[in-house]
Amino acid sequence: MSIRTLIVLPDESPKPFLDAINAAKKSLQVKMFVFSDPVLLNTVVAAHQRGVKVRVMLNAARRDGEDDNKEVRKALELAGIEVKDSNPGFGITHEKSMVVDENIAYVKSLNWATQNLTETRDYAITTTHPHGVGEVIACFDADWNRQEFKPGFSAHMIWCPANGRERIAQFIDNTKYTLFIQNERYQDMVIIERLVRACERGVKIHLMARPPHSLKKEKIIEGVGGLRIMDDVGIRIHKLKHLKLHGKMLLADGLHAIVGSINLAPGSFDDRRELAIEVHDEDIVERLHSIASHDWEHSYPLDLTDEGLFTDLEEHGQGGAEKLVLRMDDEHAKKHKF
């Protein structure tokens, strides 16, 4: 019988991942956007040293030259572990996955960075379902060997670029009563349209996002525009109070959920390697509902008015209000000159 479980960060700490790596007997494969946590690094090296076949795939340096994985890549190579940069066919490999002994897969929203293990709301789903585990292994092998991976639209998992936009759009379309979403970015107009239509047909939507100042300047127009469109039709949009939001989770009608690495943005759907999983397990969905309710109670509405956005972008961020042609009063005008 296949088994799925839920891991919630930072509540559970890195222990579930450390325990899994320590329990590996034959093989360990890791695909990671950012890998920098020293404890996880030492645990992976220890697995290799006791004879586990370890392969690690890390996102390569970004277009601007920033390389989050430079030090860990060197450490893995020095330890004699097989390590490769991710498939250059994608702008970024944002997938966060692990497979232990070819029989249990971890589908995650979190990076293996200390911050994601201790300070951010993040999630991981484990599965022993043979079809799901097989897909994660097949994609890893394809990306490792620079070959094409074709999961198909009927795949067990949700993949980008492949079936991601369609599966998430369908998930929203099938929602009847309630929809809770946590995501960093709301920029894909297909998904925004589906959310607007869901709201208009009576679905009660609770949406959690990061504040606009956390967006890159070149993404402010579409990012803020998407949030304001949804706010205008009555979708409630909140920000966490005490944790940083990094998890990507959708929960529909208290019955179905999607967890993974996919931001709701065109780049994630079309240009990045991403992975998510849909689950219906009662215990997982109940716990996600409990976490979602807790997070909503410990959040506050995002102020998406002109004044609220101006304050957020110019006083807490790196600017960008001019891109949105925001109106400002005389007091703001004196403090900020474009």
Side-chain angles (χ1 to χ4, degrees), residues 228 306-307 310 324-329 332:
R228 293 185 100 178
D306 281 8
E307 184 177 359
F310 188 87
L324 299 172
V325 197
L326 294 175
R327 295 184 299 273
M328 47 184 173
D329 57 29
H332 278 120

Side-chain angles (χ1 to χ4, degrees), residues 134-333:
E135 284 181 26
V136 179
I137 293 172
C139 181
F140 187 97
D141 288 339
D143 287 350
W144 185 270
N145 296 308
R146 307 324 194 211
Q147 296 171 348
E148 190 172 6
F149 173 64
K150 294 182 177 180
F153 287 97
S154 61
H156 183 82
M157 297 293 193
I158 302 172
W159 295 98
C160 299
N163 61 0
R165 183 183 279 112
E166 179 170 321
R167 287 282 296 273
I168 291 177
Q170 185 180 53
F171 184 90
I172 296 168
D173 289 346
N174 290 338
T175 303
K176 296 180 180 180
Y177 308 109
T178 61
L179 182 61
F180 189 97
I181 305 179
Q182 292 182 334
N183 205 282
E184 289 182 275
R185 301 181 189 177
Y186 299 84
Q187 298 166 353
D188 188 81
M189 291 310 300
V190 173
I191 300 303
I192 291 169
E193 176 193 12
R194 291 312 209 282
L195 290 170
V196 167
R197 291 187 177 196
C199 180
E200 289 179 342
R201 68 174 183 268
V203 176
K204 187 176 182 181
I205 300 176
H206 292 75
L207 187 153
M208 302 199 77
R210 295 186 71 176
H213 73 251
S214 67
L215 294 168
K216 293 181 180 178
K217 260 194 172 184
E218 63 270 21
K219 299 296 183 182
I220 284 177
I221 293 175
E222 59 193 67
V224 172
L227 291 174
R228 293 185 100 178
I229 287 169
M230 293 187 289
D231 182 61
D232 284 346
V233 300
I235 294 174
R236 299 176 70 187
I237 303 172
H238 278 212
K239 175 191 178 297
L240 272 171
K241 281 184 181 177
H242 306 300
L243 288 174
K244 293 180 180 179
L245 177 63
H246 186 259
K248 296 93 171 90
M249 186 272 286
L250 297 90
L251 175 63
D253 296 331
L255 298 171
H256 319 279
I258 291 176
V259 169
S261 68
I262 304 171
N263 284 308
L264 303 179
S268 294
F269 291 124
D270 300 325
D271 189 46
R272 297 183 173 192
R273 171 65 78 211
E274 305 270 15
L275 170 62
I277 183 172
E278 183 173 350
V279 295
H280 314 274
D281 310 65
E282 185 176 351
D283 58 335
I284 292 177
V285 171
E286 284 183 359
R287 188 169 179 215
L288 283 172
H289 185 269
S290 176
I291 294 294
S293 298
H294 172 275
D295 285 353
W296 192 258
E297 290 173 4
H298 294 83
S299 68
Y300 58 85
L302 275 180
D303 186 350
L304 295 170
T305 64
D306 281 8
E307 184 177 359
L309 284 170
F310 188 87
T311 298
D312 179 74
L313 292 171
E314 297 300 324
E315 296 184 6
H316 302 296
Q318 302 298 318
E322 75 282 3
K323 290 180 175 291
L324 299 172
V325 197
L326 294 175
R327 295 184 299 273
M328 47 184 173
D329 57 29
D330 291 340
E331 182 179 350
H332 278 120

